[in-house]
Each structure stands twice: as C-alpha cells, then as structure tokens.
Amino acid sequence: MRDKPPKPTCISCPHNYTYHEFTPMRKMGVMMHLGDQFCTGGKKARRFKRAGVRHYTPDWCPKRKNPCELRVYTFKSTEDWLMHRMLNRDLSGKASPAGYRYALAHELHTKLTARDFWDRCDLESSVDLLSVEVGLHDIVEIDDGLNPVFFHKTETGYQMLSCFDAETARRNKKED
C-alpha cells in the first residue's frame, strides 16, 4: 500500500497560541484561561477543544483554501525535457524533477483535496479528475493553503514528490 499525503496539523503553525498566564484575561476578543489553546489566524481568536490541537487542522482554519488551488507544471523548453529524459535513462528512472526546468502551464481550482486525488489518480484519467490534460513528467500541485502537495506523472502512474521548487517554476516562462 502506498503512502498518502499527510494531513496538516496546527502544531507548527505560527497562529497556534497557548495562554500561559494564571489570571484569566480577555484578549483578542475571547476570554482566555490558563492552558487554553487558540487559533489567532482570523480577526478573532478561536478556542480549540481540549484535545483539538493534537489532531488535524479543523475545517474552519483561516489559512485553508476552499476550493483548493490546482497548478500543473510542464517543461519550459524542449532542451529541459530532453535533459530530464536523458537523466532519467541514465539513473534508471530515478531522476527527480527540478523546479528550474519547469514552468506553470495551468492554474485553476479543484474541489479535490490532495488525498482525494491520490486515492483516485490511478482509477480515473487526469482530464476527468482535474479538467486538464497532464502530460508525461508533468507536475501537479494541489494547494489547500496549509500544505501544498506535488505529484509527478511517470510511465507507471503518479508519484508523490517530497520536494519541488514551485516558486522557481512559477517565475519561469514557457519557451516555444
């Protein structure tokens, strides 16, 4: 069984705040008590349930994008495509895509989360899932505002990428 994209948590979020004062105080629009945990990302702080912060990011998170942003990256030039193909052949198909070789081809929105896409990508075509054709060695990014996830289309199907320099790829222009 293949790994799924990780669910985001609030643990490392800069808006995650724990109140440490002994005296209760009204702060950021809510009454805070010792040990209470809050999300301070919105206009008004929101209190987490007692065990809520140990679990996954709630649906009401102000950073969450709904619908998710979908970006498809393709090679910016024929030379970059050829170089990747040669590297892939020399490394027995283990060449990792580099952001500086790619450029943004499509940017739209999708109701699919990264986990939904991952569960369905081998069963349905990319046109049915994403409403856009994804070519061989293209990169699909699904960004929910919390944790962008990248997928690389290979001959054997999609592979999840641990890292991809999307900022560089977005700055690149596609050459014809």
Side-chain angles (χ1 to χ4, degrees), residues 84-147:
H84 181 79
R85 187 172 167 171
M86 290 170 47
L87 279 171
N88 226 12
R89 187 191 65 221
D90 292 346
L91 298 173
S92 303
K94 304 287 186 207
S96 183
Y100 65 90
R101 294 191 194 284
Y102 286 84
L104 184 64
H106 301 284
E107 186 170 21
L108 41 128
H109 291 89
T110 181
K111 293 186 184 226
L112 288 175
T113 64
R115 289 179 143 245
D116 294 338
F117 174 75
W118 188 241
D119 290 339
R120 296 169 52 186
C121 67
D122 290 334
L123 306 173
E124 300 176 45
S125 72
S126 59
V127 174
D128 293 338
L129 280 174
L130 307 173
S131 303
V132 66
E133 182 63 39
V134 178
L136 184 63
H137 296 297
D138 284 357
I139 307 296
V140 174
E141 175 187 8
I142 298 181
D143 183 10
D144 62 358
L146 303 169
N147 183 28

Side-chain angles (χ1 to χ4, degrees), residues 10 23 41 49-50 53 55 71 110 115 118-119 127 145 164:
C10 296
T23 55
K49 294 179 181 176
R50 288 287 176 199
V53 103
H55 296 291
R71 296 181 191 95
T110 181
R115 289 179 143 245
W118 188 241
D119 290 339
V127 174
F164 179 75

